[in-house]
Amino acid sequence: MKNTLRIAALTMFILSTGAASAIDLGGMLGAGKDLAKAATVSDKDVIEGSRLMMRQMDKEEKVAPAGSKYAKRLAMLTKGLENEDGLKLNFAVYQSDEINAFATPDGSIRIYSGLMDLMSDDELRGVIGHEIGHAKLGHSASQMKKALLLSAGTKAAGASGSQVGGMVAANEETIKAFGNAQFSQSDETASDDYGFKFMQKHKYDVRAMESAFRKLAAKGSGEGSMMASHPGANARADRMKAAADKL
């Protein structure tokens, strides 16, 4: 389960620019019957499943304790963001050299210590804003629904509430599907723009969005840099620079 959970975390900030998901669908789905069942999964079911999945992941991953330098720094960076833009958010650090971050539909945002080591405070704020964007704009919820479609967890889609959530949390294929799902290019662009506006709103350095992407592009060939290795980081940095130049 540990390796599967790690796969699940390798997603949300840079990994996608519209390529198809790498999930192997063989044997995971029946035909239209399962798809019809999955279509009945409610927003409440998706959020409940996400919450239970995160409870499981937080048990399996090495979460930075409250007194650690990583937890203290993240707490400082996210102070006052617990109820941002109508969302109830919770934050934690996974102690790992991976350069990554992700958000889930229940408002959980996880930052990897490898990313924190790489970035300045305002660059991390830009990442956090981007991740909030994925949650606020419904991208993460869409990926969770896709995970249900792509996994044996679809069998639970006719159930309700915690029954569906329990299947999501307990089913390795669902967790893997959520981790490997890829955002579309338009989703990433929308979350970049949301992050930029988030930086403006809180009077952070908006140019940190550009520098964050430059750092990720530069680390593209580094070990544990799956996010940064995806094409497009420099192009997205250029967009953020152009947005900042207009101010």
Side-chain angles (χ1 to χ4, degrees), residues 23-38:
I23 301 294
D24 179 5
L25 301 184
M28 286 186 180
L29 288 177
K33 184 176 180 181
D34 280 343
L35 291 173
K37 284 184 179 180

Side-chain angles (χ1 to χ4, degrees), residues 118-154:
L118 179 66
M119 294 194 171
S120 70
D121 286 351
D122 275 348
E123 287 166 349
L124 282 172
R125 288 181 173 118
V127 172
I128 291 165
H130 175 99
E131 296 304 333
I132 294 173
H134 278 312
K136 178 66 180 181
L137 300 174
H139 306 156
S140 297
S142 177
Q143 296 301 349
M144 180 62 80
K145 279 194 174 184
K146 288 177 184 177
L148 286 168
L149 287 168
L150 292 169
S151 75
T154 304

Side-chain angles (χ1 to χ4, degrees), residues 59-155:
K59 287 180 181 178
E60 296 290 336
E61 294 291 334
K62 186 177 181 181
V63 178
S68 70
K69 68 176 183 178
Y70 292 112
K72 287 181 177 179
R73 185 182 177 199
L74 185 61
M76 179 271 292
L77 292 173
T78 59
K79 185 177 180 179
L81 298 180
E82 297 84 1
N83 293 283
E84 174 69 13
D85 201 4
L87 299 175
K88 186 175 182 180
L89 303 174
N90 68 89
F91 304 88
V93 179
Y94 285 167
Q95 291 187 197
S96 168
D97 290 339
E98 293 167 11
I99 299 173
N100 222 331
F102 69 95
T104 55
D106 67 307
S108 297
I109 294 179
R110 299 296 180 261
I111 309 293
Y112 282 72
S113 58
L115 185 70
M116 297 185 75
D117 289 338
L118 179 66
M119 294 194 171
S120 70
D121 286 351
D122 275 348
E123 287 166 349
L124 282 172
R125 288 181 173 118
V127 172
I128 291 165
H130 175 99
E131 296 304 333
I132 294 173
H134 278 312
K136 178 66 180 181
L137 300 174
H139 306 156
S140 297
S142 177
Q143 296 301 349
M144 180 62 80
K145 279 194 174 184
K146 288 177 184 177
L148 286 168
L149 287 168
L150 292 169
S151 75
T154 304
K155 306 298 183 185

Side-chain angles (χ1 to χ4, degrees), residues 210-231:
E210 176 196 355
S211 58
F213 280 119
R214 300 291 185 205
K215 285 183 178 180
L216 290 168
K219 295 291 285 186
S221 59
E223 184 178 355
S225 299
M226 285 185 67
M227 296 165 45
S229 66
H230 200 90

